[in-house]
Amino acid sequence: MIKRLIITARILPDGAPTKVVGRDAWALQNLVKAGEGGCTPIDHPGPRWSHYVFKLRRFGFTIQTLDEAHGGPFPGSHARYVLRSEVEILDNGKEAA
């Protein structure tokens, strides 16, 4: 039996409750917790951050993508995702089969 994370959230001030499931729920939890600092795939490892953000935006959440350069042996850039919607978590962290 596979368990999935399910949270219910709404965009303030008057958004309808939205059920978010699985990795999308995990990403939303991390974005809310990170606040203005946002999340990157480097500090919050997850296989498909860009897709989670894409799906959360389709729910109506406003998420800003900031491009950040990084050095090291493989220099380049990465995304930092910052939740710009004010979000209320109504039910946080249920697991369901």
Side-chain angles (χ1 to χ4, degrees):
M1 178 183 312
I2 297 174
K3 292 188 177 189
R4 302 188 87 185
L5 177 65
I6 300 172
I7 65 172
T8 304
R10 71 183 190 100
I11 300 169
L12 297 175
D14 56 2
T18 302
K19 185 186 291 188
V20 184
V21 179
R23 281 285 195 162
D24 305 333
W26 170 85
L28 182 58
Q29 282 181 324
N30 278 280
L31 288 166
V32 167
K33 185 176 179 182
E36 285 293 317
C39 297
T40 73
I42 295 168
D43 57 19
H44 294 84
R48 305 258 327 223
W49 263 103
S50 60
H51 190 63
Y52 311 144
V53 168
F54 171 78
K55 289 166 59 179
L56 290 170
R57 287 177 176 150
R58 290 179 67 187
F59 280 121
F61 297 100
T62 301
I63 301 169
Q64 182 180 17
T65 302
L66 304 170
D67 190 40
E68 296 183 349
H70 61 260
F74 303 101
S77 65
H78 61 268
R80 178 173 300 275
Y81 301 105
V82 182
L83 181 64
R84 296 299 183 196
S85 297
E86 189 175 349
V87 175
E88 177 183 21
I89 303 296
L90 302 172
D91 187 8
N92 191 13
K94 285 192 311 193
E95 286 192 5

